[in-house]
């Protein structure tokens, strides 16, 4: 069997050919658009204002999203802090908010949203205070990162009876079409 000698092909050409066609098709019809999650309260990687923390009013910030996959049947939101108890020696991820079965027709959550104002059909899970609802940043030491993660699912989940993050993630397994992430920081 003969071996093909490709040593004469410039490395830049080989590297360019290794990229998928989708890398060059941004903005073209049919190109995949990534979901986006934003907040009017803080930019990605920016500081979360005090009013949305335990040092302020401890109310939820506004969250808005776009580019949800057309075949999504529901959305789920998890907010957590992977820097607990301290960012120097984190030992756990502390969960601040769990929502699921958010309808895909919804495009935002208003600030200071309570259970009575959630989009119709939205169900709540338990945070690490063993309660439903939003509980804001309240770090013990240092600057913590807070991950707001929105998932588009190909199904409407059954009522999971106020699941914690682990139970919700297990129920979502195999159903995630796309996700978006917004990270905020807070230091006391």
């Amino acid at each position: 069997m003969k071996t093909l000698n490709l040593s004469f092909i410039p490395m830049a050409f080989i590297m360019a050919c290794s990229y998928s066609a989708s890398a060059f098709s941004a903005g073209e019809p049919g190109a995949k658009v990534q979901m986006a999650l934003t907040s009017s309260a803080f930019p990605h990687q920016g500081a979360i204002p005090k009013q949305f923390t335990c040092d302020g009013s401890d109310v939820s910030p506004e969250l808005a999203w776009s580019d949800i996959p057309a075949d999504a049947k529901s959305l789920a939101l998890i907010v957590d802090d992977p820097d607990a108890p301290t960012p120097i020696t984190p030992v756990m991820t502390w969960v601040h908010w769990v929502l699921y079965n958010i309808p895909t027709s919804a495009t935002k959550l208003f600030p200071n949203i309570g259970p009575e104002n959630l989009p119709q059909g939205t169900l709540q899970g338990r945070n690490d205070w063993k309660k439903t609802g939003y509980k804001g940043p309240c770090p013990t030491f240092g600057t913590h990162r807070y991950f707001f993660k929105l998932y588009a699912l190909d199904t409407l989940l059954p009522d999971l009876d106020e699941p914690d993050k682990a139970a919700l993630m297990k129920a979502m397994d195999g159903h995630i079409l796309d996700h978006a992430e917004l990270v905020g920081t807070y230091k006391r």
Side-chain angles (χ1 to χ4, degrees):
M1 177 180 237
K2 279 188 163 185
T3 305
L4 186 59
N5 181 358
L6 299 177
S7 61
F8 66 91
I9 298 176
M11 183 55 75
F13 176 77
I14 293 171
M15 290 175 65
C17 291
S18 70
Y19 287 99
S20 69
S22 64
F24 297 104
S25 64
E28 291 181 13
K32 185 175 191 271
V33 177
Q34 188 91 22
M35 281 174 47
L37 178 62
T38 60
S39 178
S40 60
F42 60 94
H44 181 61
Q45 301 286 354
I48 297 172
K50 186 176 180 178
Q51 73 186 80
F52 305 110
T53 74
C54 69
D55 296 320
S57 302
D58 207 13
V59 297
S60 60
E62 178 187 65
L63 297 173
W65 49 85
S66 61
D67 300 314
I68 302 303
D71 50 346
K73 303 286 189 275
S74 69
L75 305 171
L77 177 74
I78 297 173
V79 180
D80 58 25
D81 167 10
D83 298 322
T86 76
I88 297 168
T89 55
V91 295
M92 66 180 302
T93 297
W94 192 261
V95 179
H96 289 258
W97 204 10
V98 177
L99 297 175
Y100 66 104
N101 284 354
I102 302 168
T104 57
S105 58
T107 58
K108 68 169 37 182
L109 294 176
F110 292 98
N112 192 19
I113 198 163
E116 68 282 354
N117 303 113
L118 289 169
Q120 188 171 1
T122 301
L123 298 174
Q124 298 188 82
R126 283 178 283 116
N127 56 36
D128 278 343
W129 286 271
K130 308 297 182 210
K131 297 180 179 182
T132 59
Y134 174 84
K135 199 74 171 123
C138 200
T140 54
F141 176 80
T143 301
H144 286 228
R145 297 166 299 151
Y146 297 87
F147 287 75
F148 292 72
K149 296 174 275 192
L150 185 72
Y151 300 90
L153 308 178
D154 67 1
T155 189
L156 191 65
L157 296 172
D159 186 339
L160 302 170
D161 193 26
E162 298 180 357
D164 60 12
K165 175 186 170 181
L168 179 58
M169 292 300 294
K170 183 177 179 183
M172 293 190 317
D173 188 37
H175 296 287
I176 299 172
L177 298 172
D178 201 355
H179 76 283
E181 197 170 85
L182 172 67
V183 179
T185 61
Y186 187 66
K187 179 180 180 178
R188 298 177 86 183

